[in-house]
Amino acid sequence: MALPALQCLDPPVTSTDDDLLARLERYYDAVPRAAARTEDFGPLTLFVREGAGWPYYARPARPGTAPVTEADVRRVRARQRELGLPEAFEWVAETSPTLRPAAERAGLTVHEHPLMVLAPDAPTPAVAAPDDASVRIVGPEDPALPGALAVPHLAFAEPGTRVGTAGPAELAAAIRERAADVPRTADRIRAGLTTVAAALRDGSALCAGQCLAVGEVAEIAGLGTLPTARRRGLALAVTAALVADARAAGVRTVFLSADTEDVGRIYARLGFRTVGTALIAEPAAA
């Protein structure tokens, strides 16, 4: 099914969105706590993962109530280095405006990503996968789970939307390299903390993503397409499946952070609209 062309991004943030951003802030603070301990650095909280998996980051402890200084950022960076963690910070520009200048003065590079929400009254999107692929929710015992967890890593290694070089051979290697991710994610699926969806062809994952829910709010994250399978609408189909599953489970607000404004225009075709800017700060690439 052809999707309509987009002429522009969504309208600016409104007062109603302020309430929505406050709800997202509560989500951001809650979701890492299932797998991480916290360390207090005044206006910043450092999340330290317990066990294997993606490392976490630091973020504002109480957005809007205390300014963040360059010294605060430097103290957290020193602790991250001490723990062998990435020197990473994540936050929302509109709710924590003092963190960006503090991070930049502390020597970090800040990346902007459209923060997009599918409003509670927006229809649940329905997108069909290409004829040679099928999309499904992947359970903890599903043989497709290892591939579904490995595909996004290959996608993130070749950022952007252009067709890339990593294909089935690289996926097989990534599955072997990331075997330890499977039991941990399977446990999270059983506990209801994570939902995984994948687009498959002949049982092999072409695209996959996850949905992490806390109460009535859920984030779609870790979504990536095998670089050789890009530009076929697979990410939209996987996103639609995750949204439908989340709403069936009682989630009212689904959100995501798009990589770029161009990618954001793609998600807008599903009904997502931009409500703010998600920021990530990290050391400049060498």
Side-chain angles (χ1 to χ4, degrees), residues 32 34-36 47-57 83-86 149 153 177-186 188 194 210:
F47 292 96
V48 182
R49 177 174 283 281
E50 304 265 301
W54 290 96
Y56 284 117
Y57 39 77
L83 295 172
L85 300 174
L149 299 180
H153 291 275
E177 292 168 1
R178 310 205 68 85
D181 292 348
V182 178
R184 176 184 59 83
T185 303
R188 288 183 59 85
T194 299
Q210 300 184 19

Side-chain angles (χ1 to χ4, degrees), residues 19-131:
D19 295 335
L20 175 59
L21 291 175
R23 197 182 321 148
L24 297 188
E25 284 293 344
R26 291 192 291 272
Y27 171 94
Y28 280 128
D29 181 74
V31 74
R33 294 177 185 269
R37 61 180 172 84
T38 62
E39 295 189 8
D40 181 18
F41 289 84
L44 295 170
T45 297
L46 174 61
F47 292 96
V48 182
R49 177 174 283 281
E50 304 265 301
W54 290 96
Y56 284 117
Y57 39 77
R59 70 176 325 275
R62 295 171 296 278
T65 62
V68 181
T69 68
E70 176 185 347
D72 294 323
V73 174
R74 291 190 181 278
R75 284 199 302 132
V76 174
R77 291 187 66 186
R79 180 58 173 159
Q80 289 170 323
R81 289 192 296 271
E82 181 182 352
L83 295 172
L85 300 174
E87 296 174 47
F89 296 72
E90 298 189 10
W91 73 102
V92 176
E94 289 74 11
T95 53
S96 301
T98 63
L99 181 45
R100 180 168 192 159
E104 291 175 336
R105 286 195 296 269
L108 297 175
T109 298
V110 178
H111 307 279
E112 298 183 357
H113 304 278
L115 179 62
M116 307 185 73
V117 170
L118 187 66
D121 58 352
T124 299
V127 180
D131 290 341

